[in-house]
Amino acid sequence: MQTHVATTPFGRRSMTLGQISSQVSAKAMPTEAMVNKWEVFQHIREAREMLGATDRALAVLNALLSFHRDAELRADGVMIVWPSNEQLMARANGISPATLRRHIAILVECGLVIRRDSPNGKRFARRGAGGEIEQAYGFDLSPIIARAQEFKDLSDAVQAEKRALRVARERLTLLRRDVVKMIDAGIEENVPGNWGRVLQIYQTTVSRLPRSAPRQHIEDICNELQELHVEIRDTLESFVRSQKMSANESHSERHIQNSNTDPHKESEERSREEKEASASGANNRNLHSLPARELPLGIVLDACPDVKALAKGGEIRHWRDFLAAAEVARPLLGVSPSAWQEACEAMGEVQAAITLSAILQRSDQINSAGGYLRNLTDKAREGKFSTWPMVMALLRAKLDASRSPAHKASDPRNEGKSPSERLEVSDALLRSLKRPR
């Protein structure tokens, strides 16, 4: 015969409003309610962080559920289990008594179980004459039934959040890949644009991304990268359209020239163009004697090693890293944004970055880096400037310094090394260095 249902814990354990709320929910559930205890346990395990439960607490809950014989929990059945601490510790993977008590308290605080303590704190059941349980003291599993739908909703919310986080991470990966490769394409194809600024924006945005970021933070970063993605794509698409228009116009011009029936006039125009070209070549003999190809990044870095210190991580592997470092060097040298913009327009951004790196390398010899850059920009507009002589001069100075006896004696890195080990250059580069300016 059930004499009294205990509502307060035994001993010095205090009663809380949360425990009373769990008891109210257990009393309010319909008598026909029934759930599969392992399905509900799966929902609880997925939503454990939202419930405030720990992994060890769930191990204890799993052990408590195992002491209930049936897989189904019924509101009209016996919902109390009364295992001893020794039995619980054995089924909870052998945890210590102190750990067991701590995590049982967590289960009670989370409202997953209810304590039904006996007058002396022991756990047991009293059976009647027919063998039916009349009175039981232990842990009441009624909240598993009463809150089953709540646990399912929480589990669904957690799964939806995981899916949203996975989608956000996939979007972030795609945006980062697209932005980096489109920047590389713009630099390699010499598309007009301030690619150094774009790189700086990208690196600043990505640097705010921690190793383990929440979904909302990832989505905010994605939104910023999306704006940058649209800007870069529009720049590249505009350039492609302009190239197509130029190709169409030149195709039409070729048709017009082919329709010319006066061979004497055509030969006169060709001879005049050849004379102009030869005159221009005579005026700019030094520039025309330089290699037609672009300066390799490795040669630039050999000539201007100081720019590496301004790169992220102190390493430059691609032109995009070089442009980003040049953007950092610009304000350090006191070059105004307008002077930099004019240099990029006149030389192209890569050549302007090489020029700025050379100025940085010789900053101790240049009083006004901004004025010097403007002077070189004016020469570039007139076709009288190339970065090859600047880089070759820096390499020549570096080579001469490595060959000087004072440098050999003062530099400890040169001890035990032959001259070829100190500075390795190709034969083609040596011929370029020896060529008169």
Side-chain angles (χ1 to χ4, degrees):
M1 179 179 181
Q2 186 86 7
T3 58
H4 178 72
V5 178
T7 58
T8 57
F10 171 77
R12 288 182 287 182
R13 302 188 190 97
S14 59
M15 188 69 180
T16 64
L17 293 179
Q19 295 174 12
I20 295 177
S21 175
S22 299
Q23 295 175 6
V24 170
S25 300
K27 289 180 181 179
M29 66 179 177
T31 56
E32 67 276 7
M34 180 183 66
V35 297
N36 184 294
K37 62 182 181 181
W38 299 121
E39 290 182 0
V40 180
F41 178 74
Q42 177 65 21
H43 297 155
I44 293 173
R45 185 169 61 182
E46 292 173 350
R48 64 182 180 274
E49 293 182 0
M50 300 182 70
L51 293 171
T54 61
D55 294 340
R56 286 292 185 89
L58 292 186
V60 175
L61 178 60
N62 180 76
L64 288 173
L65 290 173
S66 69
F67 283 103
H68 192 279
R69 294 182 178 180
D70 300 328
E72 305 291 335
L73 297 180
R74 300 174 181 271
D76 56 356
V78 178
M79 297 299 300
I80 298 177
V81 293
W82 53 92
S84 64
N85 283 353
E86 288 75 13
Q87 292 173 320
L88 270 177
M89 286 187 293
R91 294 200 185 182
N93 304 322
I95 61 177
S96 66
T99 303
L100 176 66
R101 290 192 296 269
R102 184 168 66 253
H103 290 291
I104 286 176
I106 292 176
L107 291 177
V108 174
E109 288 298 322
C110 293
L112 298 176
V113 297
I114 299 174
R115 285 184 180 275
R116 301 297 187 187
D117 290 343
S118 65
N120 61 359
K122 301 293 183 179
R123 305 181 197 124
F124 62 91
R126 185 181 295 113
R127 297 180 183 273
E132 296 180 355
I133 297 176
E134 292 184 348
Q135 186 77 34
Y137 298 102
F139 299 103
D140 192 346
L141 303 177
S142 298
I144 303 297
I145 302 177
R147 301 177 63 188
Q149 186 60 44
E150 176 189 349
F151 296 148
K152 186 178 185 305
D153 293 341
L154 289 175
S155 175
D156 292 342
V158 169
Q159 293 301 320
E161 179 65 22
K162 286 183 178 179
R163 286 193 295 271
L165 179 60
R166 184 169 59 252
V167 171
R169 285 175 175 170
E170 290 174 356
R171 182 190 177 200
L172 176 64
T173 300
L174 293 174
L175 281 170
R176 292 182 65 174
R177 185 178 69 192
D178 286 354
V179 168
V180 169
K181 292 196 174 184
M182 286 195 300
I183 290 174
D184 285 344
I187 295 172
E188 295 295 332
E189 299 294 337
N190 295 322
V191 178
N194 194 346
W195 297 112
R197 180 189 65 84
V198 173
L199 277 167
Q200 203 169 30
I201 293 174
Y202 170 76
Q203 292 180 352
T204 302
T205 302
V206 173
S207 65
R208 294 189 287 104
L209 189 66
R211 183 177 295 274
S212 179
R215 177 182 59 84
Q216 188 58 50
H217 189 66
I218 293 177
E219 289 183 348
D220 292 341
I221 297 293
C222 285
N223 292 334
E224 295 182 25
L225 289 179
Q226 183 66 44
E227 295 179 1
L228 189 63
H229 182 280
V230 171
E231 178 184 345
I232 299 172
R233 187 186 59 196
D234 291 345
T235 301
L236 296 180
E237 290 178 353
S238 299
F239 181 74
V240 170
R241 285 194 294 268
S242 66
Q243 292 294 100
K244 288 182 178 180
M245 292 177 62
S246 299
N248 292 336
E249 290 174 0
S250 62
H251 180 70
S252 301
E253 290 173 0
R254 284 195 293 271
H255 275 292
I256 295 173
Q257 291 172 359
N258 290 337
S259 63
N260 184 11
T261 58
D262 188 353
H264 298 287
K265 182 177 180 181
E266 184 176 351
S267 61
E268 290 176 359
E269 291 179 355
R270 186 183 297 111
S271 62
R272 187 180 70 250
E273 291 174 357
E274 290 175 353
K275 291 179 181 179
E276 291 176 356
S278 61
S280 177
N283 292 335
N284 300 299
R285 183 180 305 165
N286 291 334
L287 293 182
H288 282 285
S289 64
L290 293 172
R293 61 185 177 87
E294 298 292 336
L295 274 165
L297 179 59
I299 291 180
V300 175
L301 294 179
D302 284 342
C304 311
D306 290 355
V307 74
K308 293 181 182 179
L310 303 179
K312 186 177 181 181
E315 186 178 4
I316 296 178
R317 296 177 295 178
H318 308 284
W319 281 113
R320 63 171 180 268
D321 300 335
F322 184 76
L323 291 181
E327 282 289 333
V328 178
R330 181 194 61 77
L332 294 179
L333 291 171
V335 176
S336 65
S338 60
W340 174 244
Q341 184 65 29
E342 291 174 4
C344 292
E345 292 174 355
M347 307 178 191
E349 192 165 13
V350 173
Q351 300 302 314
I354 295 173
T355 304
L356 195 68
S357 301
I359 294 175
L360 174 67
Q361 194 66 32
R362 298 176 53 202
S363 58
D364 57 338
Q365 305 172 22
I366 298 174
N367 294 328
S368 174
Y372 188 54
L373 181 62
R374 287 186 185 275
N375 184 27
L376 296 179
T377 301
D378 294 338
K379 291 183 178 180
R381 289 196 186 100
E382 300 172 359
K384 298 179 180 179
F385 173 73
S386 171
T387 52
W388 273 93
M390 293 187 72
V391 173
M392 293 301 107
L394 290 172
L395 284 174
R396 186 180 294 106
K398 186 177 180 181
L399 184 60
D400 293 342
S402 67
R403 288 175 174 174
S404 63
H407 181 270
K408 293 177 184 178
S410 62
D411 193 348
R413 294 174 298 178
N414 291 333
E415 294 180 1
K417 293 184 179 180
S418 63
S420 60
E421 291 176 329
R422 296 187 190 106
L423 183 62
E424 296 182 358
V425 293
S426 64
D427 295 338
L429 183 56
L430 286 173
R431 287 194 298 270
S432 299
L433 292 174
K434 293 177 182 178
R435 184 176 300 161
R437 288 176 288 177

